[in-house]
Each structure stands twice: as C-alpha cells, then as structure tokens.
Amino acid sequence: MADKDLCPCGSGKTYAECCEPIIKGTAKAPTAESLMRARYSSYEKKEIDFIINSCEEGEKIAEIDRKATEDWAKNSTWHGLKILRTEKGTESDDEGIVEFEATYTTKQGLREIHHEIGYFKKIEGSWMYSVGSVKPMTVVREGAKIGRNDPCPCGSGKKYKKCCGR
C-alpha cells in the first residue's frame, strides 16, 4: 500500500476504509475519536462542508467562520494528528472528550501545533463536535532564521534589517 493511500488521521488504515466513508456520509462515526479523526482528515482533504456539518447545531454552528476555516485548511500543510487521550466517547456513550494535537505548517513557514480538548455529543445517534478548549500554540520556525545582516529574502539586494526586517 502506498503512503498516499493511507488515511491522513494516522490510523494506519487506508483513507477509503477509515475516514472517507464518514466524511462522504456513507457511514457514521462509531466513536467520538473516529469523528475527531475524520474532522482532521477533512482539513487535509479540504472537505469544509464536513467540518461545519459535523458540529453541533444551534448557536455554535452559527459561530463558525466558513471562510476562516477554509483558509486555514487550504493555506496549511498538514503533518499529522496525535490523539493524547479520550474520555468516554465509545459507541455506548452519549458524550465524550478527545484531547489531540494537530501539527501543520502555515504558508509563512511556521510549524504550529493546535492542541485542543474537544467535547463531543451523540445527537440522534450521530457523534457531533460540540465545543473545544484550545491550549496555547507551539510555534516552531521551519528553516533557518534570517539574521539582521543577511541579504533580504525578498531579493531586493539590501540587508534584511534595511528592508523587510524593519
């Protein structure tokens, strides 16, 4: 099996046997963790409708900024999902918690870790994302840091401190 066939969520399964059926609506997420994995895969696959539609309805869904969500998904390179812990959220539960880290690189070249404790509810037999508590982000610069006296990366020929580093 080629790596490109593997599911972005890191389960080790193929996308077709893991998150794709949940995202495409041909299967329900059996657990809160499986919904979280599908939501992560949706960011990598740019499946914005699933991200929004897998949120608990009501006030919370109205607060979702579709454009910001789409921009975040499209303008990031996604590196992986790490499930840190789960609490409840099994097939027999009605609510659950999934703590996770999603690692990505912004278009500015900063590698970031989105650390969240997500709360999930089962509504009419379907797991839904309810609300999340975001932990402070970890930011790591990808590539070498530009020194003040280095040539500016914009190509102007000036030193960084006299150009874009002001």
Side-chain angles (χ1 to χ4, degrees):
M1 167 175 30
D3 279 352
K4 67 179 180 171
D5 295 335
L6 288 176
C7 192
C9 79
S11 67
K13 299 177 183 175
T14 66
Y15 179 61
E17 66 184 0
C18 190
C19 290
E20 186 178 37
I22 297 168
I23 292 167
K24 299 296 184 190
T26 59
K28 288 184 178 183
T31 65
E33 181 180 335
S34 61
L35 179 64
M36 182 58 245
R37 288 181 175 282
R39 286 176 56 82
Y40 171 82
S41 293
S42 293
Y43 277 93
E44 187 165 317
K45 297 287 188 177
K46 287 45 167 186
E47 295 280 358
I48 308 309
D49 287 340
F50 180 79
I51 295 166
I52 291 170
N53 294 334
S54 61
C55 289
E56 180 181 11
E57 292 190 28
E59 290 179 27
K60 291 178 183 93
I61 203 164
E63 293 173 9
I64 298 170
D65 183 337
R66 181 184 179 87
K67 174 132 179 52
T69 301
E70 192 168 6
D71 288 348
W72 188 24
K74 288 182 176 178
N75 294 322
S76 299
T77 302
W78 299 90
H79 302 293
L81 173 69
K82 183 194 295 184
I83 304 295
L84 302 174
R85 73 178 172 97
T86 59
E87 211 174 284
K88 297 185 179 180
T90 67
E91 292 182 48
S92 60
D93 291 317
D94 290 328
E95 52 186 44
I97 295 172
V98 180
E99 183 175 2
F100 66 93
E101 290 179 343
T103 306
Y104 62 98
T105 301
T106 66
K107 67 180 180 180
Q108 292 81 19
L110 295 177
R111 188 176 186 101
E112 299 188 8
I113 298 173
H114 178 85
H115 183 171
E116 182 175 332
I117 300 173
Y119 298 90
F120 296 81
K121 291 182 183 176
K122 193 184 288 182
I123 300 170
E124 296 177 11
S126 296
W127 281 105
M128 304 296 281
Y129 173 81
S130 182
V131 67
S133 172
V134 178
K135 300 289 186 178
M137 278 193 292
T138 303
V139 179
V140 179
R141 180 181 308 277
E142 291 219 325
K145 182 177 179 184
I146 302 166
R148 292 176 34 81
N149 291 314
D150 290 342
C152 192
C154 76
S156 66
K158 298 178 183 178
K159 289 184 178 182
Y160 180 67
K161 68 182 178 187
K162 295 283 185 181
C163 191
C164 295
R166 291 182 178 197

